[in-house]
Amino acid sequence: MPGMTKELLNKKDIERILSRMAHEIIEKNKGTENLYIVGIQRGGVHLAKRICTRIKAIEGVDTPVGSLDISLYRDDLGMRKEHPVVRRTNIPWDLTDKKIVLVDDVLFTGRSIRAAMDALMDFGRPSQIQLAVLLDRGHRELPIRADYVGKNIPTSRGENIEVQLEEDGREDGVYLVLSGEDA
Amino acid sequence: MKRTAGKTAYIWYCRVKMLKDLVGIKESSKEDIELILSTASSFKDVLKRDIKKVPTLRGKTTVNLFFEPSTRTKTSFELAEKRLSTDVLNFSVPTSSVVKGESLYDTVKTIEAYGVDFIVIRHSSSGAPHFIARNVNASVINAGDGINEHPTQALLDAFTIIEKKGSLQGLTIAIVGDVFHSRVAKSNVYLLSRFDARIRLIGPPTLVPEMKGYNVEVLSDMDEGLKDADVVMMLRIQMERQGRGFFPTTQEYFRYWGLDMKRLKRAKKDALVMHPGPMNRGIEISSEVADSSQSAILDQVTNGIAVRMAVMYLLSREGENG
């Protein structure tokens, strides 16, 4: 395990951020009509569900929530000696003409989001895709930006960000990990 | 562990290390098998979509090298390859009785020089895929070698059983027919015995080896063998490998070891009937059974594509050919 970690967000911070993001999503879309929320496996899926719960509390409506695994759409598969585990994709709707809010935990190079958008297109032609992320750590390699950002956190490339969520059996928290590895 | 700079490292975002080749179940670990089976279920979801193709292996090339005739295995591999977006090359070799080691070596080296990433091979000689795997950098997948193994068939059988029965553990699985010549049966025995299934091998004594070292029960009486079985796997009588008096006539064979409705009743009520195909209706299996609600034969065909996609995904690695 790397030696140095620093807490960036605690449980309470994450709750406040998600409540704010739920409000922003409703505000920007003037309600929830035709709105679908899709989380990227795995952290994004947990966050997407939590955002849905908050939207329900505010608007009193159930927003459909799905999950998306992007392993099969990655652009770096051939560059790895190890493979990401392929997790479930659960999008039981035709996405044509739907407004999609894509949810991920950390926005970094933007490559995951590129892969996620390609994957979404295989489920139809959405009228719009918006992006919500808990953290934006910079270092984009593609022209991608988020519509909803929980918190901007400047990092160096050698650092890692670890998002821990209750759904994975640990207490909510976001940590900066100094891995000591150069990028 | 090498960490790529492109993604935040999550503790739970586990990565898996895979082997270069899939030459046999015998050579694969229980963990490898479990990983392939769990990955296959994600690919089965892909097959249910409107767009059944994913870009995962774009830019990779696969050669299907079939030294023995095959329709369904080859079709299944080809579909799996196309749905993963690899380029597919079919290198059909006319059936020849003996292919000498050296000429096989040259064929494969030539193919490798084309710059391929995967070689899917079927060969009448047991061990041919192992030989090739040692001599090329491409990933080699055994699509059936002689009377040795047919690993992807055993994987798709296991996947189908788990899909229908929940797990392999504790199940009684009867494998009926020409076990001796059947690479399907052998791969299945290797796989099932790792998962604590009770295996019964049933057939004419001339065609059922003891398989020492594996936990199998050998029976020649079918009624006894089917009793309370959860799964009945029928094997194809390989007409092309008979003619040495292993059994008298096909009619007699059906009378003793064919599966009809009456016999199937000896197994559990919800027993699953499987067959790797192509079926000889009326020789090893009656049409009534093959088309019954207990038959999982067509599920096997569908699952075959998902399992082969999973295998190729997991074997794909950094460009072996630079």
Side-chain angles (χ1 to χ4, degrees):
Chain A
M1 277 299 288
M4 303 256 293
T5 61
K6 185 181 142 201
E7 188 183 81
L8 297 173
L9 298 174
N10 62 28
K11 184 175 161 64
K12 206 77 206 147
D13 297 330
I14 294 174
E15 277 172 12
R16 289 191 191 110
I17 284 172
L18 291 177
S19 295
R20 191 194 80 223
M21 286 169 77
H23 279 287
E24 285 175 354
I25 290 169
I26 297 163
E27 186 191 4
K28 186 179 162 102
N29 293 287
K30 300 186 171 62
T32 59
E33 203 188 330
N34 206 25
L35 196 68
Y36 288 69
I37 300 192
V38 175
I40 298 178
Q41 289 280 16
R42 276 175 62 165
V45 176
H46 303 322
L47 296 172
K49 286 180 182 154
R50 291 195 197 182
I51 288 173
C52 275
T53 312
R54 284 173 169 77
I55 290 177
K56 166 109 176 167
I58 302 161
E59 293 282 290
V61 287
D62 284 307
T63 316
V65 59
S67 60
L68 185 67
D69 183 279
I70 57 162
S71 313
L72 304 177
Y73 294 84
R74 300 190 69 93
D75 58 5
D76 57 355
L77 272 182
M79 296 156 62
R80 296 160 179 264
K81 288 286 178 216
E82 292 148 328
H83 276 311
V85 171
V86 185
R87 300 181 193 282
R88 270 241 130 71
T89 291
N90 181 25
I91 300 183
W93 330 286
D94 178 3
L95 297 185
T96 302
D97 295 333
K98 306 289 193 305
K99 273 192 279 185
I100 313 297
V101 177
L102 196 58
V103 182
D104 203 358
D105 44 14
V106 181
L107 179 56
F108 184 18
T109 60
R111 288 179 190 271
S112 297
I113 304 304
R114 197 279 312 160
M117 288 194 287
D118 277 358
L120 280 180
M121 298 300 179
D122 282 355
F123 291 89
R125 185 182 182 278
S127 63
Q128 217 184 89
I129 299 177
Q130 301 167 8
L131 176 61
V133 296
L134 183 62
L135 297 155
D136 183 346
R137 61 169 292 193
H139 303 286
R140 215 78 76 242
E141 292 168 6
L142 298 171
I144 282 169
R145 61 161 183 81
D147 300 89
Y148 315 98
V149 180
K151 195 173 169 65
N152 282 297
I153 294 175
T155 57
S156 74
R157 272 182 167 274
E159 293 167 332
N160 277 308
I161 289 196
E162 213 174 278
V163 178
Q164 298 188 357
L165 296 171
E166 274 170 9
E167 289 87 338
D168 287 316
R170 269 161 312 173
E171 201 174 327
D172 279 358
V174 176
Y175 302 90
L176 185 69
V177 182
L178 304 165
S179 69
E181 285 177 51
D182 290 324
Chain B
M1 189 176 111
K2 192 185 159 215
R3 194 173 278 156
T4 45
K7 179 82 185 170
T8 317
Y10 306 117
I11 294 175
W12 37 258
Y13 193 79
C14 37
R15 303 243 160 83
V16 288
K17 217 174 172 68
M18 268 304 279
L19 303 167
K20 171 178 163 281
D21 312 294
L22 177 69
V23 290
I25 299 293
K26 219 193 283 180
E27 289 82 2
S28 311
S29 70
K30 189 175 176 183
E31 289 71 38
D32 291 337
I33 294 167
E34 282 171 340
L35 178 64
I36 293 169
L37 296 177
S38 68
T39 306
S41 62
S42 300
F43 282 104
K44 187 150 187 193
D45 290 344
V46 173
L47 297 177
K48 288 181 194 153
R49 297 182 195 166
D50 284 346
I51 296 176
K52 297 177 177 61
K53 201 178 175 89
V54 287
T56 318
L57 298 183
R58 218 157 44 102
K60 303 268 179 193
T61 310
T62 305
V63 169
N64 295 320
L65 188 59
F66 280 66
F67 289 88
E68 254 192 359
S70 160
T71 313
R72 51 190 69 216
T73 302
K74 193 169 156 195
T75 308
S76 180
F77 265 109
E78 203 170 327
L79 259 179
E81 290 151 10
K82 287 182 169 163
R83 292 191 166 160
L84 285 169
S85 305
T86 94
D87 292 324
V88 181
L89 218 83
N90 284 308
F91 204 98
S92 288
V93 184
T95 330
S96 60
S97 53
V98 179
V99 180
K100 287 181 185 164
E102 187 148 29
S103 69
L104 176 63
Y105 178 84
D106 284 338
T107 308
V108 167
K109 279 309 216 188
T110 306
I111 286 169
E112 190 180 31
Y114 293 152
V116 305
D117 303 284
F118 294 94
I119 297 176
V120 176
I121 178 170
R122 167 166 289 192
H123 200 283
S124 57
S125 298
S126 301
H130 309 64
F131 169 77
I132 292 169
R134 281 195 300 273
N135 285 290
V136 298
N137 286 320
S139 287
V140 175
I141 301 171
N142 182 357
D145 63 325
I147 59 168
N148 179 43
E149 278 220 50
H150 191 350
T152 56
Q153 178 72 42
L155 288 163
L156 75 90
D157 287 345
F159 183 85
T160 307
I161 297 171
I162 293 169
E163 199 175 52
K164 303 274 179 189
K165 298 281 176 195
S167 105
L168 298 171
Q169 205 149 18
L171 295 184
T172 301
I173 297 173
I175 303 178
V176 187
D178 181 356
V179 177
F180 177 71
H181 290 109
S182 175
R183 50 199 176 207
V184 174
K186 275 159 216 155
S187 286
N188 265 309
V189 169
Y190 302 147
L191 192 155
L192 296 169
S193 58
R194 297 239 171 100
F195 290 86
D196 303 318
R198 285 190 291 273
I199 308 166
R200 295 183 192 153
L201 301 179
I202 305 159
T206 46
L207 290 174
V208 183
E210 278 179 55
M211 300 203 66
K212 284 207 177 86
Y214 292 92
N215 187 21
V216 297
E217 202 183 339
V218 175
L219 298 147
S220 57
D221 183 82
M222 185 147 175
D223 287 330
E224 193 192 331
L226 292 190
K227 198 166 178 292
D228 296 326
D230 296 283
V231 177
V232 184
M233 269 187 198
M234 299 305 295
L235 301 173
R236 184 173 68 90
I237 278 293
Q238 306 194 21
M239 302 309 261
E240 71 276 19
R241 297 190 222 266
Q242 302 300 334
R244 279 199 279 159
F246 292 115
F247 58 87
T249 64
T250 52
Q251 287 90 333
E252 190 166 335
Y253 182 87
F254 186 75
R255 186 147 18 103
Y256 286 99
W257 296 286
L259 186 65
D260 57 16
M261 272 304 186
K262 192 167 147 251
R263 259 204 184 116
L264 183 56
K265 291 213 163 65
R266 304 201 54 97
K268 280 197 185 142
K269 251 203 187 92
D270 58 349
L272 212 58
V273 176
M274 302 173 75
H275 193 297
M279 283 184 279
N280 297 308
R281 286 174 187 254
I283 295 177
E284 69 256 357
I285 188 165
S286 77
S287 279
E288 206 189 346
V289 172
D291 303 329
S292 74
S293 59
Q294 281 171 265
S295 161
I297 296 169
L298 294 175
D299 299 288
Q300 288 173 276
V301 176
T302 312
N303 292 340
I305 302 168
V307 164
R308 290 175 177 122
M309 286 173 83
V311 169
M312 295 190 72
Y313 166 72
L314 291 167
L315 293 184
S316 58
R317 304 165 310 136
E318 162 63 344
E320 292 83 1
N321 296 288

